[in-house]
Amino acid sequence: MLELQKKIQELEISFQEARAKQAVPPSGIKRQQVVIDKSTSAAISTGARSRTLCVPEKNPSISSSVSSKILNEIDLLQVRLSNVIASTGAVVVNRRRIGKITDNYQEPIGRGEFGQVFKGTWHGRKAAVKEIRSPWRCSTVVEARSFAKMIQREVEAFSAVQHRNIIGLLGLCMDNGSSDGETSIRVSLIFEFANGGTLFDCLFGVQANNSKFKLDVNQMMLIARHLTARLSIYCIPLSRNRAVQLWSTVT
Ligand SMILES: Nc1ncnc2c1ncn2[C@@H]1O[C@H](COP(=O)(O)OP(=O)(O)OP(=O)(O)O)[C@@H](O)[C@H]1O
């Protein structure tokens, strides 16, 4: 009996020692906690480290598969956009070409809801390059898809409405603007340059009192007729101050 009690005591002691070892991590891991940074935490984080650094725990296998799905979305969008613009004469160019066209983004000329517009030169003529980045880091496939849909709608609208009074889409560039290991989508749209500014500016804004661009009632009616005739065919909703090429109509 005594023998059995001794054995049970020994077992309890070794069990407690084993529990104590599990609770205290080895010193090597403690040192790693100090040097760990946000960018590497996804690959090697444990619950304890994440709490120490307030970095949300990520499952490395899930995030890398999401990333590759987002990259697939980008590829798919590129194919879809190439198809959309195929019949318009617009072309797909690479990022280096955009740098050349805008002279490395030297001259910003405006800002819209989704990004900046830069002045550029396209085959010897003035152009405007609209830079659109996904407004959020596309960290989920759903986010990437919804951004891709928005871009596709914009490009489809410009490709469908081709008229001398509406600026034409000349080309586009699309790539993955990833940084810090996070994926974002970057799109550049190259447009004809609208010398007359926006239609809104011509009717009500800064251009309205400029004798070169000031419109009389007949010209306003003509523009309205041209626009409505074209838009009634396509029924595409355009934003209020969409840049409209008034140059040819006014001069
Ligand atoms: N083709 C162009 N030629 C000359 N200037 C342009 C052209 N496109 C845009 N701009 C300038 O850049 C500004 C921002 O244009 P952008 O199209 O981004 O804005 P937006 O009409 O508010 O569009 P969105 O709502 O889609 O962002 C315009 O107000 C205009 O001054």
Side-chain angles (χ1 to χ4, degrees):
M1 189 63 183
L2 263 175
E3 193 71 0
L4 189 62
Q5 272 182 340
K6 218 171 137 192
K7 266 271 179 245
I8 290 172
Q9 262 179 0
E10 272 173 21
L11 273 173
E12 272 177 354
I13 288 168
S14 56
F15 179 64
Q16 277 169 6
E17 277 174 3
R19 282 229 324 232
K21 265 187 195 165
Q22 272 184 350
V24 180
S27 55
I29 290 182
K30 269 190 176 169
R31 269 204 304 280
Q32 278 181 343
Q33 283 182 11
V34 179
V35 294
I36 194 168
D37 69 21
K38 197 178 169 186
S39 60
T40 54
S41 62
I44 54 171
S45 74
T46 66
R49 277 188 212 123
S50 297
R51 277 194 295 279
T52 315
L53 295 162
C54 300
V55 174
E57 199 178 345
K58 288 184 188 173
N59 179 334
S61 61
I62 288 177
S63 51
S64 71
S65 81
V66 166
S67 243
S68 71
K69 279 185 185 159
I70 292 170
L71 292 177
N72 278 350
E73 283 300 315
I74 296 176
D75 287 346
L76 271 175
L77 179 61
Q78 200 148 19
V79 172
R80 275 191 238 126
L81 294 188
S82 307
N83 288 338
V84 171
I85 62 171
S87 60
T88 66
V91 291
V92 178
V93 299
N94 62 24
R95 180 64 46 205
R96 262 182 55 195
R97 183 89 187 272
I98 295 288
K100 279 188 185 162
I101 291 167
T102 57
D103 197 11
N104 284 325
Y105 309 92
Q106 286 278 327
E107 205 178 322
I109 49 174
R111 180 176 277 281
E113 200 182 328
F114 293 107
Q116 255 184 310
V117 181
F118 295 87
K119 197 167 182 176
T121 311
W122 175 262
H123 295 295
R125 291 169 58 190
K126 280 197 269 183
V129 177
K130 188 170 173 174
E131 280 286 305
I132 310 171
R133 267 175 195 271
S134 41
W136 54 87
R137 293 263 184 231
C138 285
S139 53
T140 68
V141 179
V142 174
E143 286 172 346
R145 262 185 209 151
S146 110
F147 180 73
K149 263 191 195 151
M150 186 205 80
I151 295 291
Q152 191 174 338
R153 271 201 305 272
E154 177 107 353
V155 172
E156 276 171 353
F158 273 105
S159 305
V161 186
Q162 290 176 48
H163 187 267
R164 69 191 177 98
N165 293 118
I166 297 181
I167 53 161
L169 181 67
L170 304 170
L172 63 88
C173 167
M174 224 203 79
D175 54 12
N176 161 18
S178 294
S179 61
D180 303 335
E182 305 247 24
T183 309
S184 68
I185 304 177
R186 187 178 178 191
V187 181
S188 306
L189 301 175
I190 310 162
F191 291 108
E192 289 176 308
F193 189 83
N195 289 297
T198 66
L199 180 58
F200 186 83
D201 284 345
C202 282
L203 293 175
F204 312 108
V206 285
Q207 313 278 38
N209 294 322
N210 178 332
S211 59
K212 191 172 174 186
F213 295 103
K214 199 173 162 90
L215 303 171
D216 63 34
V217 175
N218 288 333
Q219 288 168 320
M220 287 184 193
M221 291 305 286
L222 191 68
I223 291 170
R225 240 186 32 230
H226 283 176
L227 283 173
T228 49
R230 202 67 186 173
L231 295 181
S232 64
I233 297 170
Y234 294 105
C235 293
I236 302 269
L238 293 179
S239 71
R240 183 186 56 139
N241 60 346
R242 170 71 64 228
V244 173
Q245 190 180 37
L246 287 164
W247 185 252
S248 55
T249 315
V250 177
T251 53

